Amino acid sequence: MKSAALQSSVINDLVLLSCVGLRPVLVHGGGPEINSWLLRLGHEPQFHNGLRVTDALTMEVVEMVLVGKVNKSLVSLINSAGGTAVGLCGKDARLLTARPTPDAAALGFVGEVARVDPGILRPILADGHIPVIASVAADENGQSYNVNADTAAGEIAAAMGAEKLILLTDVAGILEDRNDPDSLVKEIDISGIRKMVMEKKVAGGMIPKVNCCVRSLAQGVRTASIIDGRVPHSLLLEILTDEGAGTMITG
Amino acid sequence: MGIRGVTVSDVRGFGAQGGSTERHGGSEFSEDKFIAKVKMEIVVCKDQVEAVVEKIIEEARTGEIGDGKIFLIPVSDVIRVRTGERGEKAERMSGGRADMMSLTASID
């Protein structure tokens, strides 16, 4: 999330939702910040098929930036907005256990989610606090892994039996016709979206997001939405109105 | 579509997936681990079978490992305990396909 004003607006919405009784869980990544710090250390950020190539040094930087900087800054924003946040990463209370992706030779320490233990989130939510989770996890032996934030969010949603999974992106959602911004697909089911992917109507960076949503829905999450984070109050629009602010995929 | 009854049980199961894992509740489970599943048993007339199978697949398919299987089993008889009816009369349920069909037939 690039602009501070937008970040602030999303945080305010999150705190509002928490105040009215919803129990939101925020999962975050932080690509731009990671890139910026890697460059400061003279290390060029590298990507392979859209995923960050994470060697040992990059992993250290990812962990420091996501857990130490981005996470705490979000926690601080939530606290300032009137909520109370608790910042965690996948390692805390073994919330997420990672394993290397099949592509580990090319990607290094990029992790898949092997196991989720949502136990720690229940007391936090029960006390009315908002958990903020950085998508860094460890494997059985304590080796750190960089996990994709959308994937982490999807699996945590599945583990908690969440009502909704919401992916905040910087596009309007899924378009029926890529060249027509008015052709936003508002609601679609799993077979419909799989058909769209086969018909190549969904492309590029949207495919992993769609797969993440389907995986989550298949495990019992009621709905998964991909919404436009650039629209002010998109979170409120999606959760509290019928029109929503992006594309909702139903199970 | 005229199906008026079903039995649902909470069971545990696993199925060999050729090495892939199944995801349940956010975690991965290898082939030999029991996972909570739902079993449905529906008894219908032979001529309804294909429609029911298609409907189940349409609604339940996610494309992920763990979607499950449908086993078609012949039933030698159906007996209603309350009245002792057997066969087609016992299989029939009120508001079911037979009633739906006779309703449409009478609207001419």
Side-chain angles (χ1 to χ4, degrees), chain B residues 32-93:
Chain B
D32 52 347
K33 298 276 183 300
F34 282 106
I35 301 179
K37 297 206 174 281
V38 172
K39 178 177 171 189
M40 286 172 57
E41 294 168 81
I42 311 175
V43 177
V44 295
C45 289
K46 232 184 291 197
D47 45 352
Q48 282 182 296
V49 168
E50 279 317 307
V52 172
V53 167
E54 261 177 54
K55 194 64 173 170
I56 294 175
I57 291 183
E58 190 189 312
E59 296 297 320
R61 172 182 283 164
T62 66
E64 302 286 317
I65 289 177
D67 274 354
K69 289 188 177 169
I70 301 175
F71 301 113
L72 293 179
I73 306 175
V75 172
S76 37
D77 206 352
V78 181
I79 303 129
R80 181 171 277 125
V81 173
R82 184 172 57 89
T83 59
E85 284 163 320
R86 299 179 92 113
E88 211 190 300
K89 273 178 99 178
E91 190 269 337
R92 176 181 296 211
M93 299 183 78

Side-chain angles (χ1 to χ4, degrees), chain A residues 68-138:
Chain A
K69 183 163 193 308
V70 179
N71 188 267
K72 299 315 160 192
S73 127
L74 288 169
V75 166
S76 215
L77 283 170
I78 292 177
N79 291 345
S80 306
T84 306
V86 177
L88 302 166
C89 78
K91 294 183 176 184
D92 294 299
R94 295 197 196 91
L95 177 57
L96 298 170
T97 306
R99 62 160 171 82
T101 40
D103 223 356
L107 291 170
F109 296 111
V110 172
E112 232 325 331
V113 176
R115 201 159 56 246
V116 181
D117 182 356
I120 192 67
L121 297 179
R122 298 189 201 281
I124 297 176
L125 289 166
D127 281 342
H129 302 322
I130 301 177
V132 181
I133 304 169
S135 58
V136 168

